[in-house]
Amino acid sequence: MSLKYRNRLAALIAENGRGYSFFSKLLGRNSAYIQQYITRGSPNVLSKSDALALASFLDVPVAELGPFTDNKDRSVDLVFVPYFANAEDGSDTDQHWICERRWLAKLSPNPQSMFAFQIRGDAMASALMSGDMVICERWRDKSSLMDGLYIIDVGGRFEARRICLEPKRRLVSVICDNRVYPDWHGMSRKSLHIYGAVRGTIKTTH
């Protein structure tokens, strides 16, 4: 009986296009968790919180993933934050990312303003690798700009960049951690199109 539901989950993950490691990290598990469940049946049955989280993310009834255990040790208060992606990535912008409510509350006093964004490319390596997920707070025009990581408009695409305040004339530098990419210095703050400030990182890569 367990094999039927494991095969169904494997098919759903294949249709989604992301690997087993991605979904393991989504659940806050070690990177091999989903692979071990599907290929070895370990654990034999998903926990309630894991089954509900996977079903919600994959947009299927939880019954498709089989029976689950009500493991109180894994009972966490989950919250779904909007998942934002560049349109040309082909990603579904209506998807959501799953976070633990207590962890999200530590990142910002305004959890309703948070969104998830997946890093593409290596411009911010090694701090942020392609495939990593960042949890961001939507930017407001009146917010106080500080040194840090932000999601900004770079040539019509939203990208993660490091913003550093310059000491004179309210100028800023936009920095790529990967030195292969150019930095921008002496930019006016008004010229930046900031979408969000990075508040937390979920490493989905090895």
Side-chain angles (χ1 to χ4, degrees):
M1 182 65 72
S2 171
L3 181 60
K4 168 186 173 181
Y5 297 113
R6 286 152 47 199
N7 287 343
R8 177 56 178 152
L9 179 58
L12 288 168
I13 290 175
E15 291 173 9
N16 182 271
R18 298 178 175 94
Y20 293 160
S21 176
F22 174 90
F23 285 90
S24 296
K25 296 290 186 177
L26 177 71
L27 300 175
R29 301 282 194 167
N30 70 75
S31 60
Y33 176 75
I34 289 295
Q35 182 178 14
Q36 290 173 348
Y37 167 68
I38 290 175
T39 62
R40 301 180 187 176
S42 177
N44 184 53
V45 180
L46 292 171
S47 70
K48 180 179 180 179
S49 58
D50 286 349
L52 289 171
L54 289 169
S56 296
F57 191 87
L58 293 166
D59 194 26
V60 296
V62 71
E64 290 195 21
L65 302 184
F68 48 78
T69 60
D70 190 4
N71 185 343
K72 294 181 179 180
D73 292 336
R74 277 287 296 173
S75 60
V76 294
D77 188 7
L78 300 176
V79 62
F80 296 82
V81 297
Y83 170 64
F84 175 84
N86 287 301
E88 54 265 51
D89 286 340
S91 301
D92 182 0
T93 56
D94 291 331
Q95 288 188 4
H96 289 73
W97 188 259
I98 305 163
C99 297
E100 187 176 354
R101 189 181 299 275
R102 286 182 299 176
W103 179 72
L104 196 65
K106 291 179 181 179
L107 301 182
S108 170
N110 302 306
Q112 69 279 2
S113 68
M114 307 296 276
F115 68 93
F117 180 86
Q118 191 165 33
I119 302 300
R120 301 292 187 187
D122 61 351
M124 296 306 295
S126 59
L128 298 173
M129 305 298 291
S130 185
D132 288 346
M133 192 72 70
V134 290
I135 305 300
C136 310
E137 187 170 8
R138 291 187 183 275
W139 187 252
R140 294 177 174 82
D141 290 339
K142 294 183 180 180
S143 301
S144 178
L145 188 65
M146 303 176 64
D147 291 352
L149 289 168
Y150 294 84
I151 305 300
I152 66 172
D153 187 340
V154 179
R157 285 179 56 87
F158 287 111
E159 303 283 357
R161 291 293 186 270
R162 194 176 303 279
I163 294 178
C164 299
L165 305 185
E166 296 185 2
K168 296 181 180 180
R169 296 177 297 174
R170 295 179 58 80
L171 301 178
V172 300
S173 293
V174 178
I175 306 296
C176 294
D177 287 1
N178 187 340
R179 306 320 301 165
V180 172
Y181 294 84
D183 300 331
W184 306 335
H185 299 285
M187 297 188 65
S188 69
R189 301 187 188 190
K190 291 183 178 180
S191 68
L192 293 179
H193 299 286
I194 301 175
Y195 190 74
V198 175
R199 302 302 188 201
T201 304
I202 301 172
K203 305 296 287 186
T204 60
T205 52
H206 295 293

